[in-house]
Amino acid sequence: VKENTYLRGALLGYTRDFMDKKYEEIIEFAELEDFQDHMFKQLSSGMKSRLGFSIACLVNPDVIILDEVLSVGDGAFKEKSANRMREILDGGVTGLLVSHSVSQVRDLCNKVLWLDHGKQIAFGDMEPICDAYEHFLATPKKKQVLPKSVDEIKAISRKYRLYQILSAKERADNHDNELIMKESTNARESRWMKTINDMSEEERNELFIKYKI
């Protein structure tokens, strides 16, 4: 593990003196203190990812690319990694996060590229694309239709945010109603999105104005 850590540092262009100073910090962050003398191939994939993340994040990168790395480890390590990423991004570093976790993307990104089987579906501001993507995921596969324009994504996003507000209000007003409280998220979204789509444009616009969407 130690040799691999130094090798990865060298590949990133860091000197041995620099890695000597950072080594303990890297191992501690990756939570691999008890595995320093193990063969690298003996580590689990999660351990390897943690080490890679630690090296990349603790050596002051100009650009950082993370491919599902924030999904590894237990809850505490995920939170620690996310906090470190926020520190890095707040410091002006350019970050590229590859993830299927919409909550991670919402938390860490300001721009989103939505790919489907290698094809670009959308690129732009985080919120409307994440809204449209979450709606797409909640739609039964046979009924899924990919958005074809920025305007369509924005329209879906406004309806999705309206659904979230109306759904939360419904649950708050009916917390004793077992049917409503036990309804699955997908079923609730499907019901509310149908209701919103069935509204007249005038009704929807009144609600958009009322809830400042």
Side-chain angles (χ1 to χ4, degrees):
V1 169
K2 186 171 185 177
E3 290 176 354
N4 189 274
T5 302
Y6 275 80
L7 175 60
R8 290 182 176 217
L11 291 173
L12 289 172
Y14 297 107
T15 65
R16 187 173 185 84
D17 285 344
F18 182 85
M19 292 302 295
D20 285 340
K21 295 174 183 176
K22 287 286 186 178
Y23 175 74
E24 289 187 7
E25 187 180 353
I26 289 169
I27 293 299
E28 182 180 353
F29 190 92
E31 300 174 2
L32 294 175
E33 294 96 328
D34 296 332
F35 298 90
Q36 298 180 60
D37 296 324
H38 283 58
M39 296 291 290
F40 184 74
K41 64 182 179 182
Q42 294 176 333
L43 299 184
S44 68
S45 58
M47 289 176 174
K48 293 174 182 177
S49 294
R50 276 158 37 196
L51 180 60
F53 178 83
S54 298
I55 296 169
C57 288
L58 294 177
V59 288
N60 304 318
D62 295 318
V63 178
I64 185 166
I65 301 174
L66 299 173
D67 187 353
E68 301 288 357
V69 170
L70 297 182
S71 300
V72 303
D74 57 21
F77 186 81
K78 289 177 184 178
E79 182 60 26
K80 181 168 70 171
S81 300
N83 288 338
R84 177 57 182 157
M85 273 301 298
R86 292 187 197 100
E87 290 177 12
I88 290 172
L89 296 175
D90 289 345
V93 171
T94 299
L96 175 61
L97 172 66
V98 181
S99 179
H100 287 89
S101 170
V102 182
S103 61
Q104 273 185 2
V105 173
R106 287 186 184 278
D107 186 33
L108 296 170
C109 302
N110 53 23
K111 295 289 183 182
V112 175
L113 172 63
W114 177 359
L115 298 174
D116 184 78
H117 294 85
K119 178 183 177 182
Q120 178 175 322
I121 304 303
F123 175 73
D125 292 336
M126 174 274 294
E127 189 170 61
I129 294 178
C130 282
D131 289 343
Y133 181 68
E134 288 205 279
H135 174 60
F136 176 79
L137 292 181
T139 304
K141 274 196 173 294
K142 291 183 179 179
K143 296 183 179 180
Q144 286 180 341
V145 178
L146 290 164
K148 295 180 174 61
S149 68
V150 173
D151 288 341
E152 186 178 351
I153 284 175
K154 289 180 178 178
I156 294 171
S157 174
R158 295 185 81 193
K159 292 176 185 177
Y160 184 82
R161 279 181 277 162
L162 180 58
Y163 136 68
Q164 289 181 312
I165 292 169
L166 296 179
S167 173
K169 187 176 185 304
E170 177 188 53
R171 288 169 66 81
D173 294 342
N174 296 275
H175 60 272
D176 293 329
N177 187 316
E178 191 172 337
L179 287 176
I180 289 177
M181 299 309 293
K182 287 190 174 182
E183 185 178 29
S184 71
T185 302
N186 283 0
R188 186 165 63 250
E189 178 178 339
S190 178
R191 173 170 62 82
W192 269 111
M193 290 297 282
K194 183 179 186 306
T195 299
I196 292 167
N197 283 324
D198 287 344
M199 292 177 181
S200 68
E201 187 172 350
E202 184 179 354
E203 287 177 304
R204 279 197 301 271
N205 286 334
E206 286 178 0
L207 290 172
F208 289 152
I209 292 171
K210 178 180 178 179
Y211 294 112
K212 299 179 180 179
I213 298 175

